[in-house]
Amino acid sequence: LRSKGNDTSSGFDHPHAIYEIQVQGELDEGWQQWFGGLRVGSTHTSGQPPVTTLTGPVADQAALRGMLCKLWDLNLTLISVRRIEATGKEETEDD
Amino acid sequence: MTEIHGEPGSMDREGRGKRMATPILSTKLHIPSLRRNLVSRRRLLERLHLGMRRRLTLVSAPAGFGKTTLLAEWIQSLQAVAAPPVKVAWVSLDDGDNDPARFSAYLGAALQQADEGIGQVDGDAFELAGSFLQESHLVHLINQVAVLPQTLVLVLDDYHLITSQVIHDAVTFLLDRLPENLRLVLATRADPPLPLPRMRARGHLTELRQSDLRFTAEEAAAFLNNVMGLDLSAKDVTALETRTEGWIAGLQMAALSLQGHSSYATARSEFIQAFTGSHRFILDYLVEEVLEHQPPALQEFLLKTSILERLSGPLCDSILGEQEGDGLERWDELQPPSSPIPDSQSLLEHLEAVNLFIVPLDNERRWYRYHRLFADLLQQRLQRSQPDSLPALHRRASAWHEQQGLMAAAIDHALAAQDLERAVALIEDNVQATLMRSEVATFLNWVGRLPDEWVRARPTLCFYHAWALLMIGRSMSDVESRLQDVAWDRDSPETSGVMAGRMAAIRAYFSLFQADVDRATEYCHQASELLPESDLFLRSFVVWLLSLASLADGDMQDGSQTLKEVARMGQEMGNPLIAVAAVCHQASLQMRQGRLHRAREILEQALELATDPRGRRLPIASEALVGLGKLWFQWNDLEAAANYLAESIELARQWSEIADFDAYMPLMRIRLAQGDVEAARQALETARQIALKSKITDLDDLVAELQRTYFLISQGDVEGAMRWAEAQGLVPGPSAEPRPALDEAQAPITAHLRKYEHILLARLFIVQGRAAEALDLLESLLTQARQLGRTDLTIEIQIMRALAFQTGGDDGQAMAALGEALSLAEPGGYVRIFLDEGEPVAGLLRQAASLGMTPAYVAKLLAAFSETESAKTAAVPSPPPAQPLIEPLSAREMEVLRLLAAGLSNPEIADELVISVSTVRSHCKSIYGKLNAHSRLDAVQRAQKLGLI
C-alpha cells in the first residue's frame, strides 16, 4: 500500500467543497495541473487493478462537471465521485 | 484567403449585408477526407445504411473510437452508391457554437453548401438576427428540404460540445418534424439531452455505441498488420487488443510506438510485453513512446503547436518562428547544422504522411487540426514540461489571428495567455461588430472569462456588458447594477465626454422602455452632443430613439425630421435595420395624420429597403408588413390584411421571441371583423403571452390589457370591461385605487396610454347608455387629439361623439360630429373605423346620406355595411364554449388541461400535441392564471370542480 501526491499550492483555504474522484488506471502526478491543481495520487492493491484518486477543492458544480468531462475526454473509467467535508483543510484518503 | 473567410466582409456574396455576416470558417464545414489506407468497417457501415430509415443516428462513444472517420467513410460510400446521390451537410462543432447566432450561421452555411436552394431566405435572416433557431424558421427549413428530390444528411460532429439548452431545444424540435428525406446524424462523446428514450421506443433512433465501435480482434489485426504494416503474430495482436480493449486511439498509438522500435520481432515483443504489463494510463505511456521516437525538432513542433485549434503552415511558423531568448537557441541546437530548419508546412505534411493524429481540414492541405485527444495529451505534456512558454505561445497565436482578422480566435488566445490587457483591448475593439451580428452570447462568454475587477475597471467593457444584458432581456436591476460599475475618469476630457455620451444613450433607451418620453429625449440630446462623430453604431441608435421619443410625444414635425435623418444614416452605414425601422415610423406618422395613401407609399418603400436583391425579405420587413396589414384592414380588405400580418409574424419571430407582438393587435381586430371570435381570442391570448415574456417593460402588458378590454366590450361583456376600468382607477369601484385626474401629473408610462384608456372608457359608457359621461370624456379627448394633430383619433372620437349624441337624442350635434369625421376620413379612405361601430353608425350614415353629406363616400361606406351584413348571415355562427370562467380556456388550453389531468409530463404533452415544451409551459401558465390555480394538481382539481373536464 502506497500513496503518492503533492501538496496543492493553493486553493485549500477556500471554503470550497472538497471532492475525491477515483478513476481506473494509474496517472502520475504530472497530471495535477491538467486537472486544475487537484492532487493526483494512485494506489495499488495487490491483485487489484490500480486506482487513481484526484482530491481537492472544486469551486462549484460547473467546475466539477468540467473536471469529469476532462477525465471522460481521456477515456478514463470513472469509479467514484465523493464529496468530503468542506473543512477548509486538506484531507488525505488512503486505503 | 480562400479557405478561411476572416473578415466579416468576405461573406459578402451577392450583396449581403457587410457588417452583419458571421465570419464562417469553411474548414468547419469540410467533410473529413479519408486516409488512403484504413480498416473498412463494413459491419458498421451496414448499420449506418439501415439507419437511413430512421430519423436520428447517434454515434455516441468516448474520444478515440473512430466516430468521425467512420462517418466520413460512410458518407463516401453513400455518395457513391445512392441514386440520386445523397446530399450531405457537415458541421464540426466547437465551443463557440454554443452561441445560438453562431450555431445557426454554421447550420445555415452547411445546408447551403449541400444544396444552394436551402436556407437561403434563412441565410439572410440568421445573419441579420441570429434567430435561425426560432421554430417558425426551422419549419421553413424543413419545408425547403421536404421538396428536394434527394435525401439530405445533416451531420453534427462533436455534438457533446453543445451545452446551450436553446440549441438542444431547436434540435429536438427539428427531430420531431423531420421530413422523410432529411436525416440527422450526431457524433458525440456523451449522450445529448434529447428525447432519446422516446425516439428509441418509437423506432426513430439508430445507435452506435462504444461496444459497437471498438475494434474486434479481426479489425485490430487488419489495422496493425495491413494498415500499419507491422506484421505481428496473432498472440501479439491479441495482447494489444486486450490491453487497449479495442480502443482505436490506443491501438493506433501502440502501432506508432512499434513503428518507432526496431523491426526485430524480439524488440517488438519486448515492447508489447512492457506495455501490456504496465498499469499506467495507456495514452500517457504511449504518447511518451511515440514522442521519444520522433526527431527533437518535430517533438518541439508537436508540443508547441498543440495549443492551436486549427493549424496552418504560416500560423505555426509565426508562433514558433520568433522564439524569445533560449527558445530560439534550443530550436537551433536541436537541428543538425547541415539540415535546414524545416518549415511548418512541410512538417504538417510529414505528420499527415506518417499518420500522426493530424486531420486535414480542406483539400488544399492548408488547414489541419490534431486529433483532439492527441492535442489534449500534447498540451498536457507542454504544460508539464515548459509551463513558462505557454503565455508567449498564446500571445503570438493571438497576434497572428488578429492580423488575419480572425478576432474570435485572437481573443480566445489572448485570454488563454492571461494577457488580459490585450484581451480587453481586442474585446473592446470588436464589441460593436459582435453585438451587431447578434452574437451576444459570444460577447458575454468573453466577459465571463475576465476577472470581474477587470471588467469593472474598464468603463467601455462595463457599458457594453450592460448593453448586452439589456439585449438578452435581463431584468432592469441586473442591467442597472452593471451600469453602477461604470466608472470613468471624469477629469480626462476625451474619455469623459465619450463615456458620458454612452451613458446618456443607454439611459435614453431605459427611459423609453419606461415610456418616460421627456427624460428619453433629454438623454438623447445629451448623447448626441457627447458621442464622437465616429461612433456611428451608438449615434444612429440615439437618433432612432429620439425619433421614437418625438413620436410618442406627439411632436410629429420634429419626429419626422429626425426620422429622415435616421433613415439616411442607416442607409449610409449599410444598416438596413435602422433605415427600415425609421422609414416605417415615418409611415406611422402619416397614418396618425390620416394620410393613409401616403403611408402606403412609404411602407412600400420600406419593404423595398428590407428586401435584398434576390427578393428575399429581411426580418425587419415585419415592421413594414404590420403597417400594411393595418392599412388594408382599415380599407376593409380583410384577407389582404391578414396575409400581411401572417407574413409579418413569420419574419418577426426570426427576429426575437417578442418582436411579433405588434401584429396580434390588428390581427385580433381582423378576426373580430370576420366574426371569428375564437381566433380573435387566440390572437389576443398570444399577444398577452408575449407581453408576459418580455420583462424589460410593462408597456406591452398594458397595451395587451387595453386590447383585451376592447375585446370584452365587443363581446358585450360589460361587467368584465368595468372590472378593468375599476382596476385602472378610471371609475370608482371596489377594486379601484385612487388615481389622479386626467390633467394631473402621472407616471409617464400610464400618461402615454391614458388617452387610449379614456377612449375605451368612453366606449364602455356608450355601451352602457351613459351618454353624458361619455360626452364629457370625449370632449376633453377631442381637444387633446386635435392638439397632438392625431387625425386618426379625432375621427374615432367624433364617431363616438355622434353615437353618444344620438343616444342623448341630439341629432343635430350627432350629424355635426359625424360630418367632421367623414370629412377627415374621406381623403384616407377609412372604412373599418365606421364599420366596427356596427349598426348604430349605419343608421347615422343613412341619415347623413339623406342630408347629402359627402355623398360618394357615405354611399361607399353604406355599401360596405350591407356587404358585411350579408356575409354575417351567410357565416355559420360559432357557438361560444359554455365555460363558467371569466376568461374561457382556449381550445388548445383545454387539450393541454385534459393531458395534464391524464398525468402527462410537459415533454409528453409537447410530444402528444406536436408543440414545443416551452409552448406547453406557457399554456400551463395561462391555464393556471385563468383557473387561479397554483399547481398542476390544483388546476386539475379546480377544472374538475368547474365541470371543465
PDB file of all heavy atoms in Angstrom, chain B residues 10-39:
ATOM      1  N   SER B  10     -15.943  39.266 -46.006  1.00  0.00           N
ATOM      2  CA  SER B  10     -15.682  38.275 -47.024  1.00  0.00           C
ATOM      3  C   SER B  10     -16.880  37.367 -47.262  1.00  0.00           C
ATOM      4  O   SER B  10     -16.902  36.586 -48.179  1.00  0.00           O
ATOM      5  CB  SER B  10     -14.457  37.447 -46.656  1.00  0.00           C
ATOM      6  OG  SER B  10     -14.723  36.727 -45.486  1.00  0.00           O
ATOM      7  N   MET B  11     -17.868  37.436 -46.380  1.00  0.00           N
ATOM      8  CA  MET B  11     -19.089  36.669 -46.627  1.00  0.00           C
ATOM      9  C   MET B  11     -19.993  37.417 -47.596  1.00  0.00           C
ATOM     10  O   MET B  11     -21.079  36.984 -47.906  1.00  0.00           O
ATOM     11  CB  MET B  11     -19.856  36.467 -45.322  1.00  0.00           C
ATOM     12  CG  MET B  11     -19.467  35.219 -44.579  1.00  0.00           C
ATOM     13  SD  MET B  11     -19.863  33.737 -45.502  1.00  0.00           S
ATOM     14  CE  MET B  11     -21.610  33.589 -45.089  1.00  0.00           C
ATOM     15  N   ASP B  12     -19.547  38.554 -48.022  1.00  0.00           N
ATOM     16  CA  ASP B  12     -20.410  39.434 -48.781  1.00  0.00           C
ATOM     17  C   ASP B  12     -20.610  38.923 -50.193  1.00  0.00           C
ATOM     18  O   ASP B  12     -20.190  39.537 -51.147  1.00  0.00           O
ATOM     19  CB  ASP B  12     -19.796  40.836 -48.785  1.00  0.00           C
ATOM     20  CG  ASP B  12     -20.739  41.830 -49.409  1.00  0.00           C
ATOM     21  OD1 ASP B  12     -21.948  41.569 -49.463  1.00  0.00           O
ATOM     22  OD2 ASP B  12     -20.244  42.872 -49.864  1.00  0.00           O
ATOM     23  N   ARG B  13     -21.236  37.770 -50.317  1.00  0.00           N
ATOM     24  CA  ARG B  13     -21.535  37.282 -51.645  1.00  0.00           C
ATOM     25  C   ARG B  13     -22.852  37.911 -52.070  1.00  0.00           C
ATOM     26  O   ARG B  13     -23.779  37.998 -51.295  1.00  0.00           O
ATOM     27  CB  ARG B  13     -21.726  35.767 -51.660  1.00  0.00           C
ATOM     28  CG  ARG B  13     -21.035  35.006 -50.579  1.00  0.00           C
ATOM     29  CD  ARG B  13     -21.264  33.541 -50.784  1.00  0.00           C
ATOM     30  NE  ARG B  13     -22.359  33.029 -49.988  1.00  0.00           N
ATOM     31  CZ  ARG B  13     -22.187  32.505 -48.777  1.00  0.00           C
ATOM     32  NH1 ARG B  13     -20.987  32.462 -48.264  1.00  0.00           N
ATOM     33  NH2 ARG B  13     -23.204  32.025 -48.110  1.00  0.00           N
ATOM     34  N   GLU B  14     -22.870  38.321 -53.275  1.00  0.00           N
ATOM     35  CA  GLU B  14     -24.098  38.824 -53.891  1.00  0.00           C
ATOM     36  C   GLU B  14     -24.819  39.827 -53.016  1.00  0.00           C
ATOM     37  O   GLU B  14     -26.014  39.717 -52.765  1.00  0.00           O
ATOM     38  CB  GLU B  14     -25.015  37.656 -54.236  1.00  0.00           C
ATOM     39  CG  GLU B  14     -24.319  36.708 -55.193  1.00  0.00           C
ATOM     40  CD  GLU B  14     -25.136  35.454 -55.409  1.00  0.00           C
ATOM     41  OE1 GLU B  14     -26.338  35.615 -55.659  1.00  0.00           O
ATOM     42  OE2 GLU B  14     -24.582  34.367 -55.330  1.00  0.00           O
ATOM     43  N   GLY B  15     -24.036  40.758 -52.533  1.00  0.00           N
ATOM     44  CA  GLY B  15     -24.657  41.921 -51.903  1.00  0.00           C
ATOM     45  C   GLY B  15     -25.290  41.693 -50.545  1.00  0.00           C
ATOM     46  O   GLY B  15     -26.221  42.356 -50.174  1.00  0.00           O
ATOM     47  N   ARG B  16     -24.790  40.733 -49.811  1.00  0.00           N
ATOM     48  CA  ARG B  16     -25.337  40.588 -48.464  1.00  0.00           C
ATOM     49  C   ARG B  16     -24.823  41.695 -47.568  1.00  0.00           C
ATOM     50  O   ARG B  16     -23.815  42.309 -47.854  1.00  0.00           O
ATOM     51  CB  ARG B  16     -24.882  39.273 -47.887  1.00  0.00           C
ATOM     52  CG  ARG B  16     -25.658  38.164 -48.474  1.00  0.00           C
ATOM     53  CD  ARG B  16     -25.004  36.905 -48.060  1.00  0.00           C
ATOM     54  NE  ARG B  16     -25.873  35.845 -48.493  1.00  0.00           N
ATOM     55  CZ  ARG B  16     -26.171  34.826 -47.740  1.00  0.00           C
ATOM     56  NH1 ARG B  16     -25.686  34.756 -46.539  1.00  0.00           N
ATOM     57  NH2 ARG B  16     -26.927  33.893 -48.186  1.00  0.00           N
ATOM     58  N   GLY B  17     -25.508  41.864 -46.472  1.00  0.00           N
ATOM     59  CA  GLY B  17     -25.111  42.907 -45.531  1.00  0.00           C
ATOM     60  C   GLY B  17     -23.668  42.720 -45.095  1.00  0.00           C
ATOM     61  O   GLY B  17     -23.290  41.656 -44.644  1.00  0.00           O
ATOM     62  N   LYS B  18     -22.876  43.752 -45.245  1.00  0.00           N
ATOM     63  CA  LYS B  18     -21.462  43.608 -44.984  1.00  0.00           C
ATOM     64  C   LYS B  18     -21.143  43.449 -43.520  1.00  0.00           C
ATOM     65  O   LYS B  18     -20.337  42.650 -43.123  1.00  0.00           O
ATOM     66  CB  LYS B  18     -20.725  44.842 -45.486  1.00  0.00           C
ATOM     67  CG  LYS B  18     -20.414  44.733 -46.948  1.00  0.00           C
ATOM     68  CD  LYS B  18     -19.550  45.871 -47.390  1.00  0.00           C
ATOM     69  CE  LYS B  18     -19.305  45.709 -48.875  1.00  0.00           C
ATOM     70  NZ  LYS B  18     -18.919  46.890 -49.533  1.00  0.00           N
ATOM     71  N   ARG B  19     -21.793  44.238 -42.712  1.00  0.00           N
ATOM     72  CA  ARG B  19     -21.421  44.258 -41.317  1.00  0.00           C
ATOM     73  C   ARG B  19     -22.051  43.129 -40.543  1.00  0.00           C
ATOM     74  O   ARG B  19     -21.686  42.856 -39.433  1.00  0.00           O
ATOM     75  CB  ARG B  19     -21.898  45.570 -40.692  1.00  0.00           C
ATOM     76  CG  ARG B  19     -21.094  46.726 -41.130  1.00  0.00           C
ATOM     77  CD  ARG B  19     -21.940  47.981 -41.020  1.00  0.00           C
ATOM     78  NE  ARG B  19     -21.412  49.008 -41.896  1.00  0.00           N
ATOM     79  CZ  ARG B  19     -20.376  49.749 -41.590  1.00  0.00           C
ATOM     80  NH1 ARG B  19     -19.775  49.593 -40.459  1.00  0.00           N
ATOM     81  NH2 ARG B  19     -19.944  50.656 -42.431  1.00  0.00           N
ATOM     82  N   MET B  20     -23.048  42.521 -41.132  1.00  0.00           N
ATOM     83  CA  MET B  20     -23.860  41.611 -40.355  1.00  0.00           C
ATOM     84  C   MET B  20     -23.362  40.168 -40.365  1.00  0.00           C
ATOM     85  O   MET B  20     -23.639  39.407 -39.473  1.00  0.00           O
ATOM     86  CB  MET B  20     -25.290  41.628 -40.891  1.00  0.00           C
ATOM     87  CG  MET B  20     -25.945  42.971 -40.727  1.00  0.00           C
ATOM     88  SD  MET B  20     -26.002  43.436 -38.997  1.00  0.00           S
ATOM     89  CE  MET B  20     -26.823  44.994 -39.098  1.00  0.00           C
ATOM     90  N   ALA B  21     -22.634  39.795 -41.437  1.00  0.00           N
ATOM     91  CA  ALA B  21     -22.328  38.381 -41.603  1.00  0.00           C
ATOM     92  C   ALA B  21     -21.426  37.859 -40.495  1.00  0.00           C
ATOM     93  O   ALA B  21     -20.473  38.504 -40.093  1.00  0.00           O
ATOM     94  CB  ALA B  21     -21.674  38.155 -42.946  1.00  0.00           C
ATOM     95  N   THR B  22     -21.755  36.677 -39.983  1.00  0.00           N
ATOM     96  CA  THR B  22     -20.865  35.980 -39.072  1.00  0.00           C
ATOM     97  C   THR B  22     -19.742  35.400 -39.911  1.00  0.00           C
ATOM     98  O   THR B  22     -19.997  34.754 -40.915  1.00  0.00           O
ATOM     99  CB  THR B  22     -21.628  34.835 -38.387  1.00  0.00           C
ATOM    100  OG1 THR B  22     -22.653  35.385 -37.590  1.00  0.00           O
ATOM    101  CG2 THR B  22     -20.699  33.991 -37.538  1.00  0.00           C
ATOM    102  N   PRO B  23     -18.479  35.616 -39.491  1.00  0.00           N
ATOM    103  CA  PRO B  23     -17.404  35.037 -40.296  1.00  0.00           C
ATOM    104  C   PRO B  23     -17.512  33.509 -40.252  1.00  0.00           C
ATOM    105  O   PRO B  23     -17.650  32.929 -39.181  1.00  0.00           O
ATOM    106  CB  PRO B  23     -16.123  35.509 -39.607  1.00  0.00           C
ATOM    107  CG  PRO B  23     -16.535  36.394 -38.497  1.00  0.00           C
ATOM    108  CD  PRO B  23     -18.007  36.332 -38.332  1.00  0.00           C
ATOM    109  N   ILE B  24     -17.462  32.903 -41.399  1.00  0.00           N
ATOM    110  CA  ILE B  24     -17.623  31.446 -41.463  1.00  0.00           C
ATOM    111  C   ILE B  24     -16.283  30.815 -41.794  1.00  0.00           C
ATOM    112  O   ILE B  24     -15.656  31.158 -42.789  1.00  0.00           O
ATOM    113  CB  ILE B  24     -18.649  31.079 -42.566  1.00  0.00           C
ATOM    114  CG1 ILE B  24     -20.040  31.601 -42.220  1.00  0.00           C
ATOM    115  CG2 ILE B  24     -18.674  29.573 -42.794  1.00  0.00           C
ATOM    116  CD1 ILE B  24     -20.758  30.844 -41.146  1.00  0.00           C
ATOM    117  N   LEU B  25     -15.823  29.912 -40.931  1.00  0.00           N
ATOM    118  CA  LEU B  25     -14.628  29.142 -41.232  1.00  0.00           C
ATOM    119  C   LEU B  25     -15.084  27.955 -42.062  1.00  0.00           C
ATOM    120  O   LEU B  25     -15.751  27.063 -41.542  1.00  0.00           O
ATOM    121  CB  LEU B  25     -13.979  28.635 -39.943  1.00  0.00           C
ATOM    122  CG  LEU B  25     -13.423  29.695 -39.003  1.00  0.00           C
ATOM    123  CD1 LEU B  25     -13.214  29.108 -37.629  1.00  0.00           C
ATOM    124  CD2 LEU B  25     -12.111  30.227 -39.555  1.00  0.00           C
ATOM    125  N   SER B  26     -14.750  27.971 -43.332  1.00  0.00           N
ATOM    126  CA  SER B  26     -15.285  26.907 -44.172  1.00  0.00           C
ATOM    127  C   SER B  26     -14.690  25.552 -43.787  1.00  0.00           C
ATOM    128  O   SER B  26     -15.246  24.516 -44.110  1.00  0.00           O
ATOM    129  CB  SER B  26     -15.034  27.213 -45.644  1.00  0.00           C
ATOM    130  OG  SER B  26     -13.657  27.375 -45.844  1.00  0.00           O
ATOM    131  N   THR B  27     -13.546  25.577 -43.062  1.00  0.00           N
ATOM    132  CA  THR B  27     -12.962  24.308 -42.626  1.00  0.00           C
ATOM    133  C   THR B  27     -13.898  23.546 -41.682  1.00  0.00           C
ATOM    134  O   THR B  27     -13.834  22.333 -41.600  1.00  0.00           O
ATOM    135  CB  THR B  27     -11.644  24.569 -41.877  1.00  0.00           C
ATOM    136  OG1 THR B  27     -11.861  25.594 -40.927  1.00  0.00           O
ATOM    137  CG2 THR B  27     -10.564  25.003 -42.831  1.00  0.00           C
ATOM    138  N   LYS B  28     -14.774  24.279 -40.998  1.00  0.00           N
ATOM    139  CA  LYS B  28     -15.696  23.609 -40.088  1.00  0.00           C
ATOM    140  C   LYS B  28     -16.791  22.859 -40.842  1.00  0.00           C
ATOM    141  O   LYS B  28     -17.533  22.079 -40.265  1.00  0.00           O
ATOM    142  CB  LYS B  28     -16.338  24.633 -39.138  1.00  0.00           C
ATOM    143  CG  LYS B  28     -15.490  24.936 -37.920  1.00  0.00           C
ATOM    144  CD  LYS B  28     -16.001  26.166 -37.174  1.00  0.00           C
ATOM    145  CE  LYS B  28     -17.398  26.022 -36.639  1.00  0.00           C
ATOM    146  NZ  LYS B  28     -17.504  25.230 -35.408  1.00  0.00           N
ATOM    147  N   LEU B  29     -16.937  23.177 -42.114  1.00  0.00           N
ATOM    148  CA  LEU B  29     -17.985  22.539 -42.914  1.00  0.00           C
ATOM    149  C   LEU B  29     -17.416  21.437 -43.805  1.00  0.00           C
ATOM    150  O   LEU B  29     -18.123  20.819 -44.578  1.00  0.00           O
ATOM    151  CB  LEU B  29     -18.691  23.586 -43.795  1.00  0.00           C
ATOM    152  CG  LEU B  29     -19.173  24.838 -43.079  1.00  0.00           C
ATOM    153  CD1 LEU B  29     -19.808  25.792 -44.079  1.00  0.00           C
ATOM    154  CD2 LEU B  29     -20.173  24.486 -41.990  1.00  0.00           C
ATOM    155  N   HIS B  30     -16.118  21.233 -43.691  1.00  0.00           N
ATOM    156  CA  HIS B  30     -15.433  20.285 -44.558  1.00  0.00           C
ATOM    157  C   HIS B  30     -15.708  18.850 -44.103  1.00  0.00           C
ATOM    158  O   HIS B  30     -15.515  18.513 -42.940  1.00  0.00           O
ATOM    159  CB  HIS B  30     -13.928  20.582 -44.493  1.00  0.00           C
ATOM    160  CG  HIS B  30     -13.098  19.701 -45.343  1.00  0.00           C
ATOM    161  ND1 HIS B  30     -13.031  19.829 -46.714  1.00  0.00           N
ATOM    162  CD2 HIS B  30     -12.288  18.662 -45.028  1.00  0.00           C
ATOM    163  CE1 HIS B  30     -12.208  18.913 -47.198  1.00  0.00           C
ATOM    164  NE2 HIS B  30     -11.745  18.199 -46.197  1.00  0.00           N
ATOM    165  N   ILE B  31     -16.146  18.014 -45.007  1.00  0.00           N
ATOM    166  CA  ILE B  31     -16.323  16.600 -44.664  1.00  0.00           C
ATOM    167  C   ILE B  31     -14.929  15.987 -44.629  1.00  0.00           C
ATOM    168  O   ILE B  31     -14.204  16.049 -45.620  1.00  0.00           O
ATOM    169  CB  ILE B  31     -17.199  15.880 -45.704  1.00  0.00           C
ATOM    170  CG1 ILE B  31     -18.555  16.574 -45.800  1.00  0.00           C
ATOM    171  CG2 ILE B  31     -17.350  14.408 -45.340  1.00  0.00           C
ATOM    172  CD1 ILE B  31     -19.388  16.118 -46.967  1.00  0.00           C
ATOM    173  N   PRO B  32     -14.531  15.423 -43.496  1.00  0.00           N
ATOM    174  CA  PRO B  32     -13.147  14.956 -43.373  1.00  0.00           C
ATOM    175  C   PRO B  32     -12.783  14.001 -44.502  1.00  0.00           C
ATOM    176  O   PRO B  32     -13.565  13.116 -44.853  1.00  0.00           O
ATOM    177  CB  PRO B  32     -13.145  14.227 -42.027  1.00  0.00           C
ATOM    178  CG  PRO B  32     -14.298  14.771 -41.289  1.00  0.00           C
ATOM    179  CD  PRO B  32     -15.322  15.161 -42.296  1.00  0.00           C
ATOM    180  N   SER B  33     -11.579  14.206 -45.055  1.00  0.00           N
ATOM    181  CA  SER B  33     -11.169  13.308 -46.128  1.00  0.00           C
ATOM    182  C   SER B  33     -10.638  12.024 -45.500  1.00  0.00           C
ATOM    183  O   SER B  33     -10.146  12.023 -44.377  1.00  0.00           O
ATOM    184  CB  SER B  33     -10.116  13.978 -46.998  1.00  0.00           C
ATOM    185  OG  SER B  33      -9.409  14.942 -46.256  1.00  0.00           O
ATOM    186  N   LEU B  34     -10.749  10.960 -46.236  1.00  0.00           N
ATOM    187  CA  LEU B  34     -10.344   9.661 -45.695  1.00  0.00           C
ATOM    188  C   LEU B  34      -8.880   9.427 -45.954  1.00  0.00           C
ATOM    189  O   LEU B  34      -8.331   9.836 -46.972  1.00  0.00           O
ATOM    190  CB  LEU B  34     -11.152   8.563 -46.380  1.00  0.00           C
ATOM    191  CG  LEU B  34     -12.598   8.485 -45.945  1.00  0.00           C
ATOM    192  CD1 LEU B  34     -13.314   7.427 -46.757  1.00  0.00           C
ATOM    193  CD2 LEU B  34     -12.689   8.172 -44.469  1.00  0.00           C
ATOM    194  N   ARG B  35      -8.269   8.723 -45.020  1.00  0.00           N
ATOM    195  CA  ARG B  35      -6.886   8.315 -45.261  1.00  0.00           C
ATOM    196  C   ARG B  35      -6.869   7.309 -46.384  1.00  0.00           C
ATOM    197  O   ARG B  35      -7.836   6.595 -46.618  1.00  0.00           O
ATOM    198  CB  ARG B  35      -6.304   7.696 -43.995  1.00  0.00           C
ATOM    199  CG  ARG B  35      -5.924   8.764 -43.012  1.00  0.00           C
ATOM    200  CD  ARG B  35      -5.058   8.198 -41.938  1.00  0.00           C
ATOM    201  NE  ARG B  35      -5.265   9.031 -40.766  1.00  0.00           N
ATOM    202  CZ  ARG B  35      -6.069   8.697 -39.776  1.00  0.00           C
ATOM    203  NH1 ARG B  35      -6.688   7.537 -39.786  1.00  0.00           N
ATOM    204  NH2 ARG B  35      -6.234   9.513 -38.773  1.00  0.00           N
ATOM    205  N   ARG B  36      -5.727   7.260 -47.030  1.00  0.00           N
ATOM    206  CA  ARG B  36      -5.628   6.353 -48.170  1.00  0.00           C
ATOM    207  C   ARG B  36      -5.908   4.920 -47.749  1.00  0.00           C
ATOM    208  O   ARG B  36      -6.481   4.135 -48.451  1.00  0.00           O
ATOM    209  CB  ARG B  36      -4.232   6.460 -48.795  1.00  0.00           C
ATOM    210  CG  ARG B  36      -4.055   7.737 -49.584  1.00  0.00           C
ATOM    211  CD  ARG B  36      -2.599   7.944 -49.956  1.00  0.00           C
ATOM    212  NE  ARG B  36      -1.771   8.306 -48.800  1.00  0.00           N
ATOM    213  CZ  ARG B  36      -1.646   9.550 -48.356  1.00  0.00           C
ATOM    214  NH1 ARG B  36      -2.256  10.530 -48.955  1.00  0.00           N
ATOM    215  NH2 ARG B  36      -0.903   9.828 -47.303  1.00  0.00           N
ATOM    216  N   ASN B  37      -5.456   4.598 -46.564  1.00  0.00           N
ATOM    217  CA  ASN B  37      -5.445   3.214 -46.151  1.00  0.00           C
ATOM    218  C   ASN B  37      -6.137   3.131 -44.811  1.00  0.00           C
ATOM    219  O   ASN B  37      -5.711   3.743 -43.851  1.00  0.00           O
ATOM    220  CB  ASN B  37      -3.957   2.817 -46.011  1.00  0.00           C
ATOM    221  CG  ASN B  37      -3.788   1.331 -46.048  1.00  0.00           C
ATOM    222  OD1 ASN B  37      -4.774   0.599 -46.050  1.00  0.00           O
ATOM    223  ND2 ASN B  37      -2.546   0.889 -46.091  1.00  0.00           N
ATOM    224  N   LEU B  38      -7.226   2.432 -44.752  1.00  0.00           N
ATOM    225  CA  LEU B  38      -7.828   2.302 -43.437  1.00  0.00           C
ATOM    226  C   LEU B  38      -8.640   1.034 -43.331  1.00  0.00           C
ATOM    227  O   LEU B  38      -8.918   0.382 -44.337  1.00  0.00           O
ATOM    228  CB  LEU B  38      -8.606   3.563 -43.065  1.00  0.00           C
ATOM    229  CG  LEU B  38     -10.100   3.732 -43.241  1.00  0.00           C
ATOM    230  CD1 LEU B  38     -10.473   5.098 -42.706  1.00  0.00           C
ATOM    231  CD2 LEU B  38     -10.579   3.618 -44.668  1.00  0.00           C
ATOM    232  N   VAL B  39      -8.934   0.678 -42.103  1.00  0.00           N
ATOM    233  CA  VAL B  39      -9.701  -0.544 -41.886  1.00  0.00           C
ATOM    234  C   VAL B  39     -11.146  -0.232 -42.226  1.00  0.00           C
ATOM    235  O   VAL B  39     -11.776   0.589 -41.567  1.00  0.00           O
ATOM    236  CB  VAL B  39      -9.602  -0.986 -40.414  1.00  0.00           C
ATOM    237  CG1 VAL B  39     -10.430  -2.245 -40.185  1.00  0.00           C
ATOM    238  CG2 VAL B  39      -8.166  -1.205 -40.040  1.00  0.00           C
TER     239      VAL B  39
END
